[in-house]
Amino acid sequence: MRRAGSDLVKWGQGRRYSYSCTEGENRQLWSSGHHLKSCRDVAFSQDGQKLFTVSKDKSIHILTAEEGRLETRFPKAHEAALNCVLPIDNHIFATGDDGGAVKVWDLRRGSAILEARQQEEYISAMAVDGNGKILLTASGDGTLGVFNVKRRRFELLSEPQNGDLTSVVLMKRGRKVACGSSEGTIYLFNWDGFGAASDRFALRAETIDCMVPITDSIVCVGSLDGVIRGVNVLPNRVLGCVGQHLGEPIEQLAVAADGKLLASSGHAQKVKFWDVSALGSMVVDDYRRKKKKGGPLRALSSKALGSGEDFFADLRDEAEPEAAAAEGGDSSDSDSD
């Protein structure tokens, strides 16, 4: 699931469904079934006019966002099934596959301008700096890869972390990089210090499957337990529960352009929307208040667990996620570079 303006896209077995986020107007705009196998990832171009899709069938498709018309196709783009795609500018985009290979493509040439396989496991997520120069790749082998797009070369790999790295985002005005892991830990790296993590923050969650920044210091994290947590980075705090998918893992998160609306998807083929506008004004200081262990997470939206609104009236018979317990983490809470 990715965003462009007020539209969100959800994908399934080789098909894409677009929904309008305007209240009361959620509807299917178009669908497409060009891929032969399941569609693994989608992303809008920088100008929002095109939609990039990658698939288990090893192909890359570029469609018009307005109509869903197929414009460009790269069949057999990788040797292994594709897992993620990231537009860098209006001409350059990157792809990663299940075998750890990364390619950077130039639409003007119609071919890859950088090809590398430095990581041993699947590429789970990618991020790029504001200048479109440095590409970061998170991998199932626990490493963070660094590639120089402008010079078209591989730079370095971080030390392996515990578990798979499942997500990567830039924080603190690009001075910090945060990576989520399958072990439920957020690893922090200093910019230009990617060799080893500078800090780590263990959540009381089984996994971190996806992560999206809301502000320069706050991210929303999706986990196997179905809870969406709001997390502040440096000082490291779990702020509370934004929302949840009862009994199913969170697969993807996307935030609207204005940062006020979060969309989430899980195994139930549903897209849910959460008001995260309050996170933009939250300030977290270094003082850590003592709280009772085993207490519930603070509700950060009106539909979240513990908000007082009876959102789950029709789900009373379902068990609540165990992860609605108190959160914590071992961290230095430092903001040093």
Side-chain angles (χ1 to χ4, degrees):
M1 184 168 51
R2 294 292 185 267
R3 65 164 175 82
S6 62
D7 290 339
L8 290 157
V9 170
K10 179 185 176 186
W11 64 92
Q13 291 294 110
R15 300 183 68 84
R16 272 104 24 222
Y17 302 90
S18 181
Y19 297 86
S20 171
C21 293
T22 305
E23 186 175 355
E25 296 183 7
N26 289 337
R27 59 191 175 87
Q28 180 175 302
L29 300 178
W30 55 262
S31 65
S32 174
H34 293 293
H35 285 297
L36 300 176
K37 296 183 180 179
S38 61
C39 187
R40 295 279 190 82
D41 196 14
V42 300
F44 284 100
S45 60
Q46 296 291 308
D47 59 10
Q49 299 301 307
K50 296 179 181 180
L51 188 69
F52 292 76
T53 71
V54 294
S55 170
K56 187 179 178 181
D57 65 15
K58 306 176 185 179
S59 70
I60 304 167
H61 290 175
I62 304 174
L63 304 94
T64 60
E66 190 68 27
E67 302 169 345
R69 175 171 48 85
L70 181 63
E71 278 195 342
T72 306
R73 182 173 182 263
F74 296 93
K76 299 180 180 179
H78 281 236
E79 293 183 2
L82 284 154
N83 199 53
C84 55
V85 59
L86 176 70
I88 295 174
D89 61 30
N90 285 329
H91 304 291
I92 308 295
F93 69 97
T95 52
D97 69 27
D98 281 355
V102 174
K103 291 188 179 184
V104 177
W105 304 78
D106 190 332
L107 289 173
R108 294 164 295 191
R109 296 190 177 193
S111 62
I113 58 174
L114 187 158
E115 300 183 37
R117 188 183 180 277
Q118 298 293 331
Q119 289 160 295
E120 299 299 321
E121 297 290 343
Y122 67 98
I123 304 300
S124 60
M126 299 184 291
V128 68
D129 71 333
N131 297 320
K133 177 182 177 182
I134 301 299
L135 175 69
L136 305 175
T137 60
S139 173
D141 65 7
T143 64
L144 178 67
V146 184
F147 299 83
N148 191 312
V149 175
K150 300 296 185 184
R151 297 184 179 180
R152 304 178 186 178
R153 71 186 188 191
F154 164 73
E155 294 283 349
L156 60 90
L157 280 184
S158 74
E159 296 177 349
Q161 312 302 320
N162 293 330
D164 304 9
L165 291 189
T166 58
S167 50
V168 53
V169 298
L170 274 65
M171 306 291 293
K172 300 292 184 180
R173 300 181 181 178
R175 293 186 294 112
K176 299 285 184 179
V177 173
C179 293
S181 82
S182 61
E183 301 295 315
T185 299
I186 295 177
Y187 292 95
L188 300 178
F189 295 83
N190 292 325
W191 192 261
D192 291 335
F194 297 116
S198 62
D199 200 359
R200 67 189 64 194
F201 179 32
L203 309 185
R204 291 188 182 177
E206 291 183 63
T207 63
I208 296 174
D209 294 328
C210 49
M211 184 163 57
V212 62
I214 305 299
T215 70
D216 210 35
S217 299
I218 296 174
V219 294
C220 281
V221 172
S223 179
L224 184 66
D225 58 19
V227 177
I228 305 168
R229 293 166 173 82
V231 178
N232 192 86
V233 172
L234 296 174
N236 299 332
R237 302 279 193 278
V238 173
L239 303 176
C241 174
V242 170
Q244 57 286 312
H245 290 244
L246 285 178
E248 58 179 296
I250 308 296
E251 290 188 323
Q252 283 286 355
L253 297 171
V255 64
D258 59 6
K260 295 181 179 180
L261 191 68
L262 179 76
S264 61
S265 65
H267 284 181
Q269 302 293 314
K270 291 182 180 178
V271 177
K272 295 185 177 183
F273 301 96
W274 313 95
D275 181 3
V276 292
S277 57
L279 295 182
S281 59
M282 292 189 73
V283 177
V284 180
D285 58 34
D286 290 331
Y287 175 70
R288 186 191 292 270
R289 286 184 297 178
K290 207 170 182 182
K291 63 180 180 180
K292 183 180 177 181
K293 290 195 178 231
L297 281 171
R298 173 187 177 187
L300 299 178
S301 73
S302 63
K303 304 295 186 181
L305 284 170
S307 66
E309 185 167 336
D310 199 5
F311 183 61
F312 301 106
D314 56 340
L315 300 172
R316 291 188 187 282
D317 294 335
E318 294 191 31
E320 293 183 353
E322 292 182 1
E327 302 288 332
D330 297 327
S331 154
S332 65
D333 278 1
S334 65
D335 198 5
S336 61
D337 291 322

